[in-house]
Amino acid sequence: LYYDPLEPREGVDRMARLARISAQKCLLCLGDLARYREQVNSSTNYGRARQYYSKANHLEMRNGRPFNMLAILAKVNNRKFEAVYYHVRCLSSRNPFQSSKEGLVTIFEEMKRRWEVGEKKRVEERKEGEREREGRRIVRGSKVRKEIWERPGDDGGRRLHRTTSAQSGGEELATMSVADLNKRFIN
């Protein structure tokens, strides 16, 4: 019953084609039974089911059902990339199995949801890190910022300057000339 997939099939008679389709259907049913047996036994060894589905796929590659069943096995085994591959192969076959589209959408929606949860977590971690860094800049017990200014050319002389967010001085700064402002901030 096996054939070379590259071999042209125009000369194949109707009975041989029907026999191949019937054999594929039998192999798909055997694969389903093997999969159900593993599910009843609470096992995850779907090797026998995979063999049946692969053999069914080799018999008639134009049918999408074996690809759909292989996608279901991949999804059960938590192999999402492989499941996407088989779903796409199923949908691109000559006789696609339409529930494969729903399976593909389900996988992508799950990935989107997981990405959004991860992104939300990363944003929260980033905000927490910013709050922590801001907390390190403020002197404990007050709302006074600690600023350390270094003058160029000094021998490591540091000058500690404390500012608060509550200090007003905007009016005073607005009335000063540019030269006075430079002197105040440089000294």
Side-chain angles (χ1 to χ4, degrees), residues 40-170:
V40 167
N41 294 336
S42 299
S43 174
T44 58
N45 184 12
Y46 296 105
R48 176 68 91 197
R50 183 181 308 280
Q51 284 178 341
Y52 285 129
Y53 294 144
S54 294
K55 286 178 183 179
N57 181 37
H58 288 301
L59 281 178
E60 183 64 47
M61 296 185 105
R62 296 182 228 175
N63 189 3
R65 189 179 284 265
F67 289 119
N68 183 56
M69 302 314 288
L70 288 167
I72 289 172
L73 286 182
K75 194 172 180 184
V76 167
N77 288 328
N78 205 19
R79 290 157 53 180
K80 304 283 195 258
F81 189 72
E82 188 176 329
V84 168
Y85 168 76
Y86 284 127
H87 280 304
V88 170
R89 285 288 305 262
C90 175
L91 292 172
S92 64
S93 66
R94 182 181 246 175
N95 186 16
F97 193 67
Q98 291 305 317
S99 72
S100 191
K101 182 178 180 180
E102 296 166 9
L104 191 60
V105 168
T106 303
I107 291 172
F108 285 141
E109 285 176 351
E110 180 183 345
M111 289 295 124
K112 180 183 174 188
R113 183 187 52 79
R114 290 177 73 189
W115 186 83
E116 287 172 349
V117 167
E119 186 65 22
K120 186 177 180 181
K121 185 177 177 183
R122 282 188 291 275
V123 166
E124 289 174 5
E125 287 174 354
R126 196 176 307 128
K127 286 181 180 178
E128 181 65 31
E130 288 172 5
R131 277 189 238 123
E132 184 178 311
R133 283 191 299 276
E134 185 66 28
R136 280 189 247 139
R137 288 186 203 135
I138 295 177
V139 177
R140 290 190 182 153
S142 69
K143 291 195 173 210
V144 177
R145 290 182 180 268
K146 181 171 76 172
E147 296 179 5
I148 300 176
W149 295 6
E150 295 185 15
R151 292 186 191 175
D154 275 348
D155 296 332
R158 291 180 158 191
R159 181 175 160 197
L160 184 63
H161 182 74
R162 296 178 190 260
T163 59
T164 64
S165 56
Q167 282 182 346
S168 64

